[in-house]
Amino acid sequence: KQEVTQIPAALSVPEGENLVLNCSFTDSAIYNLQWFRQDPGKGLTSLLLIQSSQREQTSGRLNASLDKSSGRSTLYIAASQPGDSATYLCAVITGNQFYFGTGTSLTVIP
Amino acid sequence: NAGVMQNPRHLVRRRGQEARLRCSPMKGHSHVYWYRQLPEEGLKFMVYLQKENIIDESGMPKERFSAEFPKEGPSILRIQQVVRGDSAAYFCASSPLSGGRIDTQYFGPGTRLTVL
């Protein structure tokens, strides 16, 4: 069974810092991997989708990498802003299902 | 094109009552997924439905929970005789794709169920 782990569980950084969020998964037979943002009391917003054949995707200040063989993905956020404060979820698709990590709660301090 | 809609956004029930959660997929999407997010836990898959069919319900609790996606109208997640442990956020997602492969799911804002 696929298990997805995110480290750290919580992270607090001053505004302007670059930061990395980590995601690991136990079964490398994934279809794709997706990073989401979840704001308190709200739904999920898709940030980046990486197909299993890809190694990274970029969108603005966000860069996500994927290393299937080691079962790892990272989400790099450049020049963090207070508006980036949210919970970031990593999810892998194996078979027909999404498997989510428990998330990293990010606080960017002005 | 409106996104995935869920209602109600917040639902309060007393133990033993029934909870009905509704999900309207994006226009043109005929695949619906339900997830549950318990406090301090990640989202967990519950059920995958296509119009009038349950495709995968491997994540559904065996008792008290049921789901449907009729030919007309929204998908419904029904919880009978709710207990405090059912308190969670329930998210619905929809996808336009068929064949059991999921490229992109679009998530609704969720329904937060509180059982008193």
Side-chain angles (χ1 to χ4, degrees), chain B residues 11-95:
Chain B
L11 182 61
V12 179
R13 286 287 179 266
R14 296 189 181 280
R15 281 180 297 170
Q17 291 184 319
E18 178 179 286
R20 281 182 177 246
L21 289 61
R22 296 175 185 77
C23 170
S24 296
M26 289 182 68
K27 185 177 181 181
H29 289 194
S30 58
H31 303 260
V32 166
Y33 310 82
W34 285 93
Y35 297 84
R36 178 167 65 173
Q37 186 177 35
L38 292 166
E40 307 303 322
E41 293 188 19
L43 277 80
K44 303 290 186 190
F45 168 80
M46 297 181 75
V47 62
Y48 164 36
L49 309 105
Q50 294 178 20
K51 286 282 188 181
E52 300 184 279
N53 285 302
I54 297 175
I55 306 302
D56 182 350
E57 56 181 347
S58 59
M60 286 277 272
K62 293 289 186 274
E63 298 178 347
R64 301 187 297 108
F65 285 72
S66 62
E68 63 178 11
F69 189 16
K71 185 176 181 181
E72 301 291 338
S75 175
I76 306 287
L77 179 67
R78 182 184 179 201
I79 311 172
Q80 295 178 292
Q81 298 177 321
V82 295
V83 300
R84 288 216 172 105
D86 297 332
S87 296
Y90 292 83
F91 290 93
C92 166
S94 73
S95 168

Side-chain angles (χ1 to χ4, degrees), chain A residues 31 38 42 93 96-98, chain B residues 35 37 58 100-103:
Chain A
Y31 182 60
Q38 184 176 25
K42 297 186 179 179
I93 295 178
N96 288 333
Q97 294 187 19
F98 262 114
Chain B
Y35 297 84
Q37 186 177 35
S58 59
R101 303 303 295 270
I102 307 170
D103 273 316

